[in-house]
Amino acid sequence: MNPTKNNNHLLNDNLNLCSLLLFVLTLLFSAVLLLLLAPAVWPSPVTLPLERAFPTNHGVELSQLKAWDSVRHRRLLQQTTTTYVVDFPVRGTFDPSQVGLYYTKVRLGSPPREFHVQIDTGSDVLWVSCGSCNGCPETSGLQIQLNYFDPGSSSTSSLISCLDQRCRSGEESSDTSCSTQSNQCTYTFQYGDGSGTSGYYVSDLMHFASIFEGSVTANSSTPIVFGCSNLQTGELTKSDRAIDGIFGFGQQEMSVISQLSSQGIAPRVFSHCLKGDNSGGGILVLGDIVEPNIIYSPLVPSQPHYNLNLQSISVNGQPLPIDPTVFATSSNRGTIIDSGTTLAYLAEEAYNPFVNAIVAAVPPSVRTVLSKGSPCFLISSSVSDTFPQVSLNFAGGASLVLRPQDYLIQQNPIVDGAVWCIGFQKIPGEGITILGDLVLKDKIFIYDLAHQRIGWTNYDCSLSVNVTASTGGGRSEFVNAGELSGSTSLQDGPHKLIHIGVMAFFLYLLVL
């Protein structure tokens, strides 16, 4: 060890410390000097008139002021910050004998209340049951507690009037209308199964979990517009699969994905991965799941639903004799991706060749029977070894490959075997092809609205995924099935802001 070298190091360290202190003192002295000279150097202040932003005849809740400020702050930062990955838990299964739907939870209002809502890519609006609802079930066979939203009990709730621009955006569709007597923006939705709901629109806070740069924020919130249902009909009135409402993930302006995107909170892309086993569940995120094997097909433009251009169907690699015009998009034809549909549906011209090809590919030892109009098969071996592979071939060269489990449904097991029935249903005459949960499960599906395309790949939805808030790639976050994961504490966010604020202050002094 060299004592002289150590002394030199100490001397250099002391000199560096003295230089740093001198630099800081110089900055502080310059700041004080500028403040003293400011009246003489800077021009006299300009007086600007101020107007009250809130009415004086009644008070405004602090929570509502904070909500408005939060939206404004996000708008100010849109050009310099990145949107967040937003996570929703997933429950339910595709199996009609169990649940027959996938649903998630949303928290609305102040104080927030929790609502279970079906995940539905075939509609646009989020709506929940409200008080004094006619036809709304009071109990659920899904073992969940049903709730009712009460706008009067939320300090941040407000009704949407007919003059509101958001109501005018909704009026572009035939579902939204205005009540001239009450000046309320109202809606009426009819679904493919014959059920329906009607009600009025409200604006209130939606609370959600988000992740950015590894930091999980469980208490994010923003005001959104959603439906308050006071009338339900058809299947929605039944208690066996009753839930609190429907979460529409369509691409119209009234959808939550469009609202959050316009506020700069979430990207114009969302993804889901629905588990197909008995336990169900999966992943649902506002963000782009990053996987190397995802293939894309373009959306048919100017359509109210997620329409893809299905061109042909192949069984064991052989194209079926189906006229392609059966799948062409028109007023009563086309192919729709719809997570709100349990099974899958084909027009009669496509259904018959499809079933005939599968029956022809099954070994002669397999017995074929009819059950409620659907072809069923009694088998004693593996379903994967017995039935052929099916390919749905879309525009852009993208094929959706279906295993037997993706077009068959297992019935109650029998002695020394099992009964499997074709899950695709026939629509008589001309009709729309609908690909529901039977086909969507056990796959990543990405709805890239920014680039007007849908992507997919086979995946084990019990595994974690990489998600990015940018559809062009970039930083990604790990998301587990149904919950966000991150190594950074919730307390890291404020500390990071403090550090950035101190640095910005010194840079400000340096510029002056």
Side-chain angles (χ1 to χ4, degrees):
M1 182 177 293
N2 189 338
T4 303
K5 182 177 292 187
N6 287 340
N7 289 335
N8 290 337
H9 280 304
L10 289 173
L11 181 59
N12 291 334
D13 290 342
N14 289 333
L15 289 175
N16 290 335
L17 180 60
C18 290
S19 299
L20 179 60
L21 290 174
L22 181 61
F23 176 71
V24 173
L25 289 174
T26 301
L27 288 177
L28 293 175
F29 176 76
S30 300
V32 172
L33 184 61
L34 285 171
L35 290 174
L36 292 174
L37 294 177
V41 176
W42 292 343
S44 59
V46 177
T47 302
L48 297 176
L50 295 178
E51 296 181 359
R52 180 178 293 273
F54 308 104
T56 57
N57 57 351
H58 66 276
V60 179
E61 293 286 343
L62 177 61
S63 56
Q64 191 168 3
L65 294 176
K66 289 172 64 178
W68 287 334
D69 284 344
S70 177
V71 174
R72 172 171 171 77
H73 296 164
R74 280 191 291 270
R75 287 173 179 169
L76 291 174
L77 296 173
Q78 274 188 33
Q79 296 179 348
T80 57
T81 60
T82 304
T83 51
Y84 295 88
V85 170
V86 180
D87 175 70
F88 294 95
V90 178
R91 295 176 65 183
T93 72
F94 86 99
D95 191 344
S97 66
Q98 297 187 48
V99 180
L101 58 86
Y102 290 91
Y103 58 97
T104 184
K105 293 186 293 185
V106 294
R107 298 169 66 231
L108 303 170
S110 300
R113 297 200 67 184
E114 194 171 81
F115 301 90
H116 296 86
V117 287
Q118 183 178 1
I119 302 167
D120 183 18
T121 62
S123 62
D124 295 295
V125 175
L126 165 65
W127 64 264
V128 294
S129 300
C130 284
S132 303
C133 177
N134 183 10
C136 293
E138 298 180 356
T139 60
S140 174
L142 302 181
Q143 307 302 314
I144 58 175
Q145 177 67 45
L146 296 181
N147 285 322
Y148 294 88
F149 182 78
D150 180 10
S153 299
S154 174
S155 61
T156 49
S157 178
S158 61
L159 300 179
I160 301 299
S161 72
C162 294
L163 298 178
D164 194 300
Q165 180 59 42
R166 292 167 294 187
C167 183
R168 294 177 180 177
S169 298
E171 284 183 316
E172 295 177 0
S173 67
S174 59
D175 300 323
T176 301
S177 60
C178 259
S179 172
T180 55
Q181 294 180 346
S182 62
N183 193 31
Q184 283 187 355
C185 191
T186 61
Y187 65 85
T188 299
F189 301 137
Q190 295 294 328
Y191 299 100
D193 62 358
S195 61
T197 178
S198 61
Y200 54 93
Y201 287 110
V202 297
S203 175
D204 209 337
L205 291 181
M206 178 180 185
H207 307 262
F208 51 86
S210 62
I211 181 171
F212 178 63
E213 294 187 351
S215 179
V216 178
T217 303
N219 295 318
S220 299
S221 64
T222 190
I224 64 164
V225 175
F226 58 93
C228 199
S229 173
N230 53 24
L231 173 65
Q232 294 176 24
T233 61
E235 292 292 322
L236 292 174
T237 65
K238 298 180 179 180
S239 296
D240 55 344
R241 301 193 307 162
I243 48 178
D244 295 316
I246 292 180
F247 196 163
F249 276 85
Q251 50 189 325
Q252 304 300 318
E253 288 189 41
M254 292 292 276
S255 71
V256 170
I257 182 69
S258 295
Q259 293 186 59
L260 297 186
S261 175
S262 65
Q263 295 181 32
I265 296 173
R268 276 187 63 77
V269 56
F270 68 95
S271 311
H272 61 64
C273 193
L274 308 175
K275 292 173 62 177
D277 58 22
N278 292 334
S279 62
I283 296 172
L284 172 63
V285 290
L286 306 189
D288 188 1
I289 294 181
V290 181
E291 275 294 315
N293 298 322
I294 291 175
I295 56 176
Y296 291 90
S297 185
L299 284 167
V300 179
S302 305
Q303 296 299 314
H305 302 291
Y306 292 115
N307 284 73
L308 293 178
N309 186 4
L310 177 62
Q311 297 178 329
S312 65
I313 299 177
S314 300
V315 175
N316 273 343
Q318 297 299 315
L320 301 182
I322 303 173
D323 186 343
T325 59
V326 172
F327 306 121
T329 302
S330 64
S331 59
N332 57 352
R333 290 183 182 269
T335 302
I336 296 174
I337 305 295
D338 180 19
S339 67
T341 294
T342 303
L343 303 175
Y345 295 82
L346 286 174
E348 188 171 7
E349 302 101 315
Y351 178 85
N352 292 334
F354 174 74
V355 171
N356 293 338
I358 292 175
V359 171
V362 172
S365 58
V366 174
R367 182 183 171 190
T368 302
V369 296
L370 281 178
S371 174
K372 297 180 181 180
S374 296
C376 298
F377 308 90
L378 281 63
I379 64 172
S380 57
S381 57
S382 166
V383 64
S384 299
D385 297 334
T386 305
F387 293 91
Q389 186 180 87
V390 173
S391 295
L392 307 180
N393 307 308
F394 294 89
S399 291
L400 180 59
V401 178
L402 306 183
R403 307 164 302 160
Q405 297 90 334
D406 298 329
Y407 62 83
L408 298 173
I409 295 178
Q410 185 176 8
Q411 303 297 309
N412 295 329
I414 59 175
V415 178
D416 297 330
V419 177
W420 289 81
C421 299
I422 291 181
F424 277 68
Q425 305 299 302
K426 176 170 59 176
I427 298 179
E430 295 184 355
I432 295 177
T433 297
I434 304 175
L435 303 181
D437 297 332
L438 173 66
V439 173
L440 305 183
K441 63 180 171 54
D442 297 322
K443 302 174 186 66
I444 291 172
F445 265 83
I446 300 173
Y447 301 76
D448 185 355
L449 307 187
H451 297 96
Q452 287 293 288
R453 60 181 184 171
I454 290 183
W456 58 81
T457 189
N458 292 333
Y459 199 77
D460 182 351
C461 299
S462 63
L463 302 177
S464 62
V465 293
N466 276 333
V467 183
T468 177
S470 171
T471 56
R475 182 185 177 90
S476 60
E477 313 287 355
F478 284 99
V479 179
N480 289 326
E483 74 177 332
L484 291 168
S485 62
S487 59
T488 307
S489 169
L490 290 174
Q491 301 298 322
D492 286 350
H495 285 279
K496 290 179 181 178
L497 291 177
I498 292 173
H499 294 159
I500 293 173
V502 172
M503 292 177 63
F505 173 72
F506 279 111
L507 287 174
Y508 173 72
L509 291 179
L510 187 61
V511 170
L512 289 177

